[in-house]
Amino acid sequence: MKRQTFIVLAAGEGKRMKSKYSKVVQKIMGKPMILYLIDEIEKNFEDSEIVVVVGNKKEDVRKVLEGRNVKFAYQEKQLGTAHAVMCAIDMVSKQAEDVFVLYGDAPFIKADTLKRISEKRKKENASLCLLTAIFENPYGYGRIISDENGNVLKIVEEKDATDEQKQIKEINPGFYCFARDALKDVLAKIDNNNSQHEYYLTDSIEILNKEGKKVVKIACDDNFEVMGINSRYELFLAEQELKIRINKKHLAEGVQMIDMYSVYIHPDVQIGKDTVIYPGTFILGNTTIGEECVIGPNSYIVNSKIGNKCYVWFSVIEDSEIKDNVKVGPYAHLRPNSFLEEGVKIGNFVEVKNSKVGRNTKSAHLTYIGDADIGENVNLGCGTIFVNYDGYKKHRTVVEDNAFIGCNSNLIAPVKIGKNAYIAAGSTITDDVPADALAIARERQTIKEGWVLRRKQMYEGNNNK
Ligand code: UD1
Ligand code: CA
């Protein structure tokens, strides 16, 4: 049995965003706007169902909600918010006590606030409870018109408001909890006699009142929760505010930030205490960072797992995992599927891709490690290149424990370097090297005694005559 239904309106055009994509899939801190809402509902309301009304750019919305337990209602023409709800009403479960109507462009509402709205509706036995907020700059929002006792009479949209009504700072942020039958009845009675010729959901308040049905309101206590996002500027404001809130949460949990204004951390990231984050750092997606790490400055970490006591300086890490006490950077790049065991060092201008690197292995400078399985305590000299691509296919290289790869070597995959083996600097290795061997694969040095003098004589000898 579904006790609550959430109707989420997401069919609008989002004109003010000036985008090819639906407004509700615009990302805030990397996450499509509508997912904040859907996640909050899914996490906090067990017996609930979600109906998303789509229309404009509906494929964008369906795509970000793929795999989610939501139903879609279709609104072919965007005739207004009441019309959008009408398109969804027949999908609402018969048992639903509460029907919430929410807008997909107001992503930050908290479940506790939604629960307070529903509790108030039930306690007062009202047909509708709506949330209200006080905005110093109420421009663009529907204004709450109340009687002298503070009872809500109706909502007037910005475009239909008189100058006097425009002075009202109590606004409609667009969160409603209806009794199911009352909603169904009232929708049929809403017309489009207004400046925009739209069917306004907000007209339901006046109609219910006129019919003697009870409408109550409840004040929201954090305006951030009800912020609506219609333009790029509002998207920016939302992102800035969310960034500060996320960073403050990490500070409260023992993470240190040198400048929290210049650090971008996505909402699902976890960071252990006594980790220090330097400016200009982005920690994105599904990333976990352990305790006592030093991250940044100017690092970019996405969908990765970092152990304890790691250093990541001026570096990029994507879809990778590093264990404890690993040092990365400055200026290193771990591309997807890199796995670094404890104590590994990946230094200046080293790139790693789809490779495993064993404990305490070091690659301090100017190296490409691609498609490799490297053992423990290996030393990769400066300028080592794992030559993994033959123009058609990628091949793997194996380097076993304690091997020493001299500077400026090419390891041409597929190839295997055995345990403890040495590769002489400047070698191009095409064949497997057995354990404990030294491989030299370069031209032997020759010395031509007196060559410089003979050459000098050849060119300058005559001139001196
Ligand atoms: C609406 C409210 C306004 C409130 C404000 C809060 C109405 C008439 N007005 O105005 O009182 O202060 O939100 O942010 O409800 N949508 C559809 N189909 C439509 C029209 C809209 O699905 O036919 C969706 C949009 O995609 C959007 C949401 O409904 O997610 C709100 O629509 P929008 O046009 O942004 O309404 P506002 O003008 O902001
Ligand atoms: Ca809006």
Side-chain angles (χ1 to χ4, degrees):
M1 190 185 102
K2 303 294 182 196
R3 289 183 42 229
Q4 295 106 0
T5 302
F6 292 84
I7 299 177
V8 178
L9 306 191
E13 206 179 332
K15 268 193 212 120
R16 287 164 278 181
M17 198 58 79
K18 304 236 163 62
S19 173
K20 287 195 278 196
Y21 304 101
S22 162
K23 169 165 69 176
V24 302
V25 307
Q26 301 289 333
K27 289 180 179 167
I28 305 171
M29 282 293 189
K31 181 165 165 174
M33 200 187 295
I34 192 167
L35 282 188
Y36 285 89
L37 206 54
I38 303 292
D39 280 351
E40 187 71 9
I41 298 169
E42 281 185 346
K43 266 189 222 149
N44 296 288
F45 292 89
E46 273 181 10
D47 323 318
S48 68
E49 60 180 356
I50 304 175
V51 182
V52 179
V53 183
V54 293
N56 254 295
K57 298 159 187 160
K58 59 181 186 302
E59 292 315 319
D60 295 350
V61 185
R62 281 180 193 272
K63 205 166 144 199
V64 304
L65 294 175
E66 224 169 65
R68 300 304 189 107
N69 191 15
V70 304
K71 296 185 220 164
F72 293 98
Y74 182 53
Q75 184 192 26
E76 196 180 346
K77 281 195 182 143
Q78 285 64 59
L79 303 177
T81 46
H83 180 258
V85 177
M86 212 159 350
C87 295
I89 193 76
D90 288 335
M91 296 174 78
V92 172
S93 147
K94 299 272 180 295
Q95 295 91 6
E97 293 170 40
D98 285 330
V99 181
F100 287 91
V101 179
L102 315 174
Y103 300 154
D105 65 353
F108 300 129
I109 194 73
K110 289 269 167 290
D112 283 349
T113 308
L114 294 172
K115 285 178 180 162
R116 280 202 301 130
I117 305 174
S118 144
E119 276 155 21
K120 170 120 180 179
R121 188 186 75 72
K122 287 192 195 118
K123 202 171 126 214
E124 305 254 343
N125 211 2
S127 295
L128 165 62
C129 180
L130 63 119
L131 195 64
T132 65
I134 306 291
F135 277 14
E136 268 319 302
N137 174 10
Y139 177 79
Y141 287 89
R143 308 297 203 282
I144 307 288
I145 312 292
S146 307
D147 66 14
E148 57 277 9
N149 301 320
N151 298 314
V152 49
L153 297 175
K154 63 174 177 177
I155 293 176
V156 180
E157 292 302 308
E158 172 83 32
K159 290 194 174 126
D160 302 292
T162 62
D163 286 346
E164 197 181 328
Q165 287 167 335
K166 283 182 185 160
Q167 302 304 310
I168 297 172
K169 289 185 172 160
E170 190 180 16
I171 61 100
N172 167 37
F175 300 86
Y176 318 85
C177 177
F178 286 93
R180 186 177 168 280
D181 294 338
L183 174 61
K184 208 168 172 176
D185 283 354
V186 77
L187 284 175
K189 295 172 185 156
I190 295 175
D191 63 30
N192 64 352
N193 281 332
N194 52 57
S195 65
Q196 304 193 77
H197 305 293
E198 281 186 9
Y199 295 88
Y200 290 162
L201 183 62
T202 41
D203 284 353
S204 58
I205 287 107
E206 189 174 18
I207 299 170
L208 288 169
N209 271 320
K210 279 189 178 150
E211 293 187 337
K213 295 188 174 150
K214 199 164 181 186
V215 178
V216 294
K217 64 178 184 181
I218 187 165
C220 93
D221 43 32
D222 179 0
N223 283 353
F224 175 67
E225 272 187 48
V226 300
M227 148 170 216
I229 300 168
N230 300 290
S231 63
R232 299 278 178 182
Y233 180 61
E234 284 167 350
L235 200 60
F236 160 79
L237 292 178
E239 187 138 29
Q240 289 299 307
E241 181 62 27
L242 188 61
K243 175 185 79 179
I244 300 294
R245 286 178 182 234
I246 290 171
N247 289 354
K248 277 187 174 166
K249 190 194 85 190
H250 290 294
L251 294 176
E253 286 167 3
V255 175
Q256 188 179 353
M257 289 182 207
I258 305 302
D259 172 8
M260 78 157 179
Y261 298 105
S262 74
V263 170
Y264 292 79
I265 303 177
H266 277 179
D268 299 327
V269 169
Q270 290 172 35
I271 306 177
K273 54 172 170 281
D274 294 313
T275 284
V276 185
I277 315 232
Y278 280 82
T281 292
F282 295 75
I283 307 173
L284 311 180
N286 180 22
T287 293
T288 308
I289 294 178
E291 297 181 354
E292 296 184 64
C293 294
V294 176
I295 310 289
N298 298 344
S299 290
Y300 187 97
I301 303 174
V302 56
N303 296 327
S304 293
K305 197 164 175 227
I306 313 277
N308 299 317
K309 299 190 175 174
C310 292
Y311 283 75
V312 178
W313 293 313
F314 296 96
S315 290
V316 175
I317 301 182
E318 306 168 80
D319 303 296
S320 289
E321 181 173 350
I322 74 183
K323 299 284 203 187
D324 297 350
N325 290 306
V326 167
K327 291 196 168 84
V328 176
Y331 310 107
H333 185 183
L334 305 188
R335 288 169 51 205
N337 276 319
S338 298
F339 185 85
L340 311 185
E341 284 286 3
E342 252 184 85
V344 165
K345 178 170 189 235
I346 297 296
N348 307 261
F349 303 102
V350 175
E351 174 179 343
V352 185
K353 186 213 84 176
N354 191 28
S355 294
K356 289 199 182 92
V357 182
R359 284 172 66 127
N360 297 326
T361 284
K362 305 221 164 8
S363 175
H365 347 257
L366 300 165
T367 287
Y368 174 60
I369 302 171
D371 301 305
D373 298 293
I374 303 174
E376 297 181 3
N377 296 310
V378 169
N379 187 71
L380 300 174
C382 175
T384 300
I385 307 291
F386 286 68
V387 183
N388 60 332
Y389 185 50
D390 63 10
Y392 290 94
K393 279 181 83 176
K394 304 277 167 71
H395 303 277
R396 289 195 83 80
T397 298
V398 176
V399 179
E400 292 188 338
D401 296 350
N402 307 316
F404 181 98
I405 313 296
C407 288
N408 214 31
S409 296
N410 299 307
L411 306 179
I412 305 208
V415 73
K416 182 171 156 188
I417 314 298
K419 271 193 185 169
N420 309 322
Y422 263 63
I423 306 298
S427 292
T428 290
I429 299 294
T430 52
D431 299 320
D432 289 356
V433 177
D436 301 311
L438 165 67
I440 310 173
R442 56 165 138 89
E443 194 69 356
R444 185 178 282 275
Q445 182 170 327
T446 49
I447 301 283
K448 299 191 175 177
E449 292 281 359
W451 179 87
V452 174
L453 296 174
R454 287 197 300 279
R455 194 161 173 268
K456 191 171 174 173
Q457 175 78 46
M458 189 176 88
Y459 282 110
E460 298 176 12
N462 293 336
N463 296 343
N464 291 346
K465 263 188 192 158

